[in-house]
Each structure stands twice: as structure tokens, then as C-alpha cells.
Amino acid sequence: MLTPLLVSLLTDQALITIVVVIAVVLVVGTTGLVVARRRRSELPPATKPAVEAPEPTVGEDAEEPRDTPTRTLEDAELPEAEAAPATTLEKPESAQGRLVRLRARLARSQGSLGKGLLALLSRDKLDEEAWEDIETTLITADVGVAPTQELVEKLRTRMRVEGVGAAQARDILREELVALVDPSMDRSLKASRKDGQPAVMLMVGVNGTGKTTTVGRLARVLIAEDKHVVLGAADTFRAAAADQLQTWGERVGARTVRGPEGGDPASIAFDAVKEGIAEEADVVLVDTAGRLHTKTGLMDELGKVKRVIEKTAEVDEVLLVIDATTGQNGLTQARVFAEVIDVTGLVLTKLDGTAKGGIVIAVQRELGVPVKLVGLGEGPDDLAPFDAEQFVDALLE
């Protein structure tokens, strides 16, 4: 039997133990709660789970998106199924239509020369001062000193001997101007196949004369005559020259043979002639670089182009393009080109923007070759065959 004192001690000891246990539990629990809160505060905010889009409903219950129009197979764009747009070729104007229109334009723009001469010749008294004024008018119009002196001498003689008045002055002036322009020169273009090969035309000239544009316009003239034309883009030094020529050709259905920029011009010209032979073309037009006439090396290269072409076919025409506004400088160009290559004909461009129509007389007299084509205006068909009598009539209208 336990004594009351022992029982009392045991009871007190049990109570103390229970209290200690309870205290330990409370301390541990409190500490765990603090740690848990601290860890929770250090965690990144919870990311909401992505909501998966519902599977599209198929069948009668399916809903169409409100902002998306219904598309069918017929509405779908299928580039490979689209037909290429048809290329519409332009129909160039006939040569006769060009002559009528260009004569009227030449008469409006060049009238100052003819009207000035008629006004002087119609004076009541033609003294030395009047004849000097006539000479000045002709020289200013780039007729040239020698042709001017020749023309004035003939006019003075006829008007003195024939005793004509102002009414007949126009007829005498017309006759003498036509004789000076020389209608007897052969101005036809050699643009027909011969011996089973196409005619080959080489276009030469300095930068800025409108040479590439003239090639494109000449192609239109020939195609208007139902000729098959191939273009050779042998101007590989001027940026975009080949692109420009190809655009001219595409408008009228003429194929352009071209090479890399900076390539060998003679090689491209040779390839163009070969293609022209293979296609049984009527004419091959070869555009050359607008080389400066003062560059000896470049001028020699022009001769090389001609020699390389002639390994395959004969060069039928070498047309020198001259800007009519350049005056005596144009004569210098013509003179140097003629020393390098046999020029067969002249093309005068920009004749409408100047009163210097006398360049026709001067350049023909200088080279002994005819003006075959004239360019008036900026339109694609503003190039026409040159006619001596119509040219003089336009000056005097």
C-alpha cells in the first residue's frame, strides 16, 4: 500500500509531466505554423491552369465563329490555279500616220527658221544688211557656214536674175532648201531578210542622245510593217539599259536577248544575231553602249562589236543617233564615229524642241550619209522616216 505522502508526490509529478507535454506541444505547433506561413510567403503566386479550348463541334449543332466569314473551296485563293493574265500587245502606228502627225508638229516647233527667212526675203529692198541677217539666221539654225554661204549665193543670184518679188520668194527658198537637203540620197532602211539571214542593224551614239529609246521606237516602226524583230541589249554599262529595252520589246512582242550587267557587249550582240537566225527573224536591232566619242578604248570596242557580229552575219545598217539640240558638238561626234565604224545613216532625235533644224543639212554634208529617221516628241511612235521635201515644207509652213 502506498503511503499518502507517496501518492501525493506521484500525483504532483504526473500533473507536472502533463503540463510540460502540453507546453511542448503548443511550442512545436506554434513554431510549425510560423515556418509554414514564412514558406508560403516565399513561394511565387500560383498560376492558373490553362483552360483548354473545347473541341470544335462537328455536325448540325456546330456554331460558326461570328467574326469569320464562311469560306468554301471555290472561295479559297489558290495561286497555282489562277490563270496568268493575257498580255495585250500594242499596235504601233503606221509610217504614213507618223509622217502626217510629225510634219504638223515640226511645222509648229521649227517655224521660226522658215518664217525668219521668208520675212527677210520679203523685204522691199534686199540690201547687204538684209543678206547678212539671212546668213545669221541660217548659221544660228546650225546649217553650217559653208552650206549657208552656198545657199545665200544661190538665192541672191536667182532673185537678181529672175527679178522676182516677195510673192515668189517662198518658192525660190523652198527649191534651194530642198536641193541643199538633197532628196536624191537613199534614205531607205535595209530591213529585209536576204540569203536566209535577218538584216542586222547596229545603233551607235553617245550618252543622252536617246539611243536606246530610238531602238525601241524603230522596233515599233518595223513591227508596224509586219516584220519579225529581235532586240539585242548590248549596252551592258548603263544601269537598267537592258531592262528599258526589254520593256520596249514586250509592248510589241519583240524578244530581247540580254546578258549580265557589265558583260561583254560583243558576245551579247553575237548571241542576238544567232537567235535572230534561229527564229528566222526579219531584223535584229542591236543597242550598244552610249560610249563617249572621246574615249579611244571604248570606241575601239565598238569596232569589235561589229567585227564579232560579222562572223555570223553581215551588218546591214549602222545608224548614228545624234541629239539635234547639240549643234556643232553633234557634228564632232558624228565625225569621230565615222572614223571608227562605217556609218550608213543618221537618226536625229529631239528635233521638235529646237529651232536648229539646219543640223540636218550640216551633218549630211559633213559625213556624206543621209538622215534616215527623225524623232519628234516623247511618245512611243514619235519616230518617222525622213523625207526631204516634207521636212522643208514643214519649215516653211
Side-chain angles (χ1 to χ4, degrees), residues 55-77:
E55 293 291 331
T57 306
V58 179
E60 296 180 356
D61 297 333
E63 293 185 358
E64 296 180 357
R66 295 180 180 179
D67 297 333
T68 305
T70 304
R71 297 179 63 84
T72 65
L73 182 59
E74 295 179 356
D75 297 330
E77 297 182 1

Side-chain angles (χ1 to χ4, degrees), residues 117-319:
L117 292 174
L118 287 174
L120 292 170
L121 291 172
S122 300
R123 291 181 179 180
D124 294 334
K125 182 180 179 181
L126 287 174
D127 52 16
E128 287 300 320
E129 183 180 353
W131 287 112
E132 288 178 1
D133 290 340
I134 291 174
E135 286 188 358
T136 301
T137 300
L138 291 168
I139 292 175
T140 302
D142 282 337
V143 173
V145 176
T148 292
Q149 293 175 343
E150 179 183 327
L151 177 60
V152 170
E153 186 62 31
K154 289 183 177 180
L155 288 174
R156 296 184 69 163
T157 301
R158 288 193 61 179
M159 295 191 71
R160 181 177 65 251
V161 172
E162 299 178 19
V164 298
Q168 293 77 30
R170 183 187 186 282
D171 294 335
I172 293 177
L173 179 60
R174 179 187 183 279
E175 291 176 9
E176 294 301 331
L177 282 175
V178 169
L180 206 57
V181 177
D182 195 355
S184 65
M185 282 186 164
D186 182 11
R187 305 181 191 276
S188 62
L189 289 173
K190 299 179 178 63
S192 301
R193 289 177 59 84
K194 63 177 182 179
D195 300 329
Q197 290 188 332
V200 178
M201 296 186 183
L202 200 60
M203 200 73 65
V204 302
V206 301
N207 290 321
T209 58
K211 178 175 49 55
T212 300
T213 299
T214 299
V215 175
R217 289 174 173 174
L218 180 54
R220 297 175 67 90
V221 171
L222 297 172
I223 289 174
E225 299 174 357
D226 297 324
K227 294 186 182 296
H228 179 186
V229 178
V230 172
L231 304 177
D235 183 355
T236 60
F237 295 99
R238 184 171 66 87
D243 293 336
Q244 180 185 355
L245 188 61
Q246 184 168 346
T247 300
W248 277 101
E250 289 173 348
R251 291 176 179 176
V252 290
R255 194 166 73 85
T256 302
V257 178
R258 55 186 297 179
E261 185 175 346
D264 181 21
S267 175
I268 296 171
F270 181 79
D271 291 341
V273 174
K274 284 181 60 180
E275 292 295 328
I277 295 173
E279 294 183 12
E280 297 184 353
D282 296 299
V283 183
V284 177
L285 290 176
V286 180
D287 183 25
T288 62
R291 60 201 76 249
L292 296 173
H293 62 280
T294 55
K295 302 295 184 180
T296 305
L298 294 178
M299 295 297 290
D300 291 341
E301 184 181 312
L302 179 60
K304 174 188 172 184
V305 171
K306 184 173 183 289
R307 290 192 302 272
V308 170
I309 291 176
E310 289 178 335
K311 293 180 180 180
T312 303
E314 180 182 353
V315 176
D316 298 277
E317 294 275 11
V318 178
L319 300 177

Side-chain angles (χ1 to χ4, degrees), residues 323-375:
D323 184 341
T325 65
T326 58
Q328 295 301 312
N329 188 44
L331 291 180
T332 303
Q333 297 170 12
R335 194 178 300 115
V336 177
F337 272 95
E339 294 174 357
V340 177
I341 193 169
D342 294 329
V343 177
T344 62
L346 304 170
V347 182
L348 285 178
T349 62
K350 307 177 186 179
L351 199 58
D352 63 327
T354 174
K356 299 184 179 297
I359 189 68
V360 172
I361 299 169
V363 74
Q364 285 189 161
R365 182 70 64 89
E366 179 71 28
L367 298 185
V369 296
V371 173
K372 294 192 173 185
L373 298 163
V374 289

